[in-house]
Amino acid sequence: LFPLFLMLFWKLGKRWILITLGLLFLGSLTVAHWGAYAKPAAAFYLLPTRGWELLIGAFAAFYLSQKNRKEFRSDLSEICGWLGVALIIYAVFNYSKETPFPGLYALVPTLGAVLIILFATQQTTVGKFVGNKIFVSIGLISYSAYLWHQPMFAFARQSSLTEPSDAIFLILSIVSLILAYTTWKYVENPFRNRKNFSRKQVFIFSGVFTAFFILMGAFLYSDNGNISRRFNQDEQEVLMLGQKNYKETLGVYGLGSCFIDYEQRTQVL
């Protein structure tokens, strides 16, 4: 969407593009903050409520693309770079499941990342710190790790009636890193090399795999995840109670006789 936006508005000049993006940024952040409280799941996954985070990166890219921009003073770069690191660390160790996200709270790690991008050069200590080989290597496989860990964690939760232990999640995290390195080396890198695959082949492969996963998702959704293969009969009955109304559910426990019906008068007792 962003390249299409630039194609449509490029004739207006950078000034109007930045003004338009600024308005979109404010609108997206406002909706995100509302959604973090009212519709947290939708706010977390949908583009309109996460777009402002991408736009912050776009603003940084616009700034860095200027040929006549002035270099920051070394002391300012050090302070702002380390401030960015501190903001990210703060979010990592202080945010929890109860933190409304992605609203104004998301500004903390996002601004931290932008400060690092703008100020952490190789001439600064913070730039050398975040640019060491270990961090760079993790960064190279980070997106693959993200793509691997999400379905693995989801399947682990779906295969059990209780929340998996921390040890299980630790093992899955290690496995996801191993798989991430494998796919980065044998899938990402080969596809990025134009000598191995042409643009046409990349689009064909992308279309085939996209169609495959859409069909698989549609099948699993229509089959209700096929819980009969994952749970025994007693467990299935417990799970299916959540799909019934309260009278059918509480009827198992003698609703109206052992327990009071919500619509039952107390005089009958």
Side-chain angles (χ1 to χ4, degrees):
L1 294 178
F2 191 71
L4 294 176
F5 169 84
L6 291 179
M7 291 173 60
L8 292 173
F9 286 85
W10 192 257
K11 293 182 180 180
L12 299 177
K14 284 188 177 181
R15 180 170 177 269
W16 282 105
I17 289 177
L18 290 174
I19 291 175
T20 304
L21 291 178
L23 294 174
L24 291 174
F25 170 84
L26 293 175
S28 175
L29 179 58
T30 301
V31 175
H33 189 66
W34 168 82
Y37 291 91
K39 302 286 184 180
F44 187 85
Y45 288 106
L46 297 181
L47 178 61
T49 49
R50 303 304 295 267
W52 66 269
E53 298 174 64
L54 302 176
L55 289 175
I56 286 184
F59 294 143
F62 269 112
Y63 175 79
L64 293 174
S65 67
Q66 297 182 71
K67 295 181 179 180
N68 58 346
R69 63 184 176 86
K70 296 182 180 180
E71 295 293 334
F72 298 112
R73 299 197 319 269
S74 59
D75 56 343
L76 179 63
S77 296
E78 291 284 1
I79 294 173
C80 292
W82 283 112
L83 176 60
V85 173
L87 289 174
I88 293 176
I89 293 176
Y90 174 83
V92 169
F93 290 100
N94 288 276
Y95 285 11
S96 65
K97 293 181 178 179
E98 287 71 37
T99 304
F101 204 91
L104 293 177
Y105 286 94
L107 277 171
V108 175
T110 308
L111 288 177
V114 172
L115 288 174
I116 292 175
I117 292 172
L118 293 177
F119 294 97
T121 64
Q122 285 299 317
Q123 288 71 41
T124 61
T125 57
V126 63
K128 294 175 182 178
F129 171 71
V130 299
N132 70 74
K133 291 184 178 180
I134 296 177
F135 288 166
V136 171
S137 299
I138 294 175
L140 289 174
I141 66 172
S142 61
Y143 190 65
S144 293
Y146 171 78
L147 295 179
W148 275 114
H149 97 279
Q150 180 64 29
M152 291 174 65
F153 280 24
F155 283 125
R157 290 189 173 99
Q158 289 294 322
S159 63
S160 175
L161 289 177
T162 59
E163 181 75 2
S165 65
D166 292 340
I168 294 295
F169 284 129
L170 177 60
I171 294 173
L172 292 177
S173 298
I174 295 174
V175 173
S176 67
L177 289 176
I178 296 173
L179 292 173
Y181 173 78
T182 304
T183 52
W184 170 77
K185 184 174 183 179
Y186 297 106
V187 178
E188 286 189 50
N189 281 344
F191 270 90
R192 287 175 177 171
N193 191 338
R194 294 183 178 181
K195 296 180 181 179
N196 296 330
F197 298 95
S198 65
R199 179 178 297 182
K200 181 179 179 181
Q201 289 175 314
V202 170
F203 277 105
I204 291 175
F205 280 118
S206 300
V208 170
F209 281 105
T210 299
F212 170 75
F213 284 111
I214 289 175
L215 292 174
M216 178 183 292
F219 170 74
L220 292 175
Y221 178 80
S222 62
D223 198 34
N224 196 25
N226 205 337
I227 62 173
S228 61
R229 296 180 183 177
R230 295 185 286 125
F231 303 104
N232 60 42
Q233 186 62 35
D234 293 336
E235 292 172 334
Q236 291 179 45
E237 290 180 2
V238 173
L239 291 173
M240 295 305 292
L241 287 176
Q243 301 182 12
K244 300 178 181 181
N245 61 47
Y246 79 91
K247 285 191 175 183
E248 292 179 303
T249 303
L250 296 182
V252 178
Y253 303 101
L255 180 66
S257 55
C258 297
F259 292 89
I260 299 176
D261 187 347
Y262 297 144
E263 302 173 357
Q264 189 176 7
R265 295 183 179 180
T266 57
Q267 286 84 347
V268 299
L269 302 177

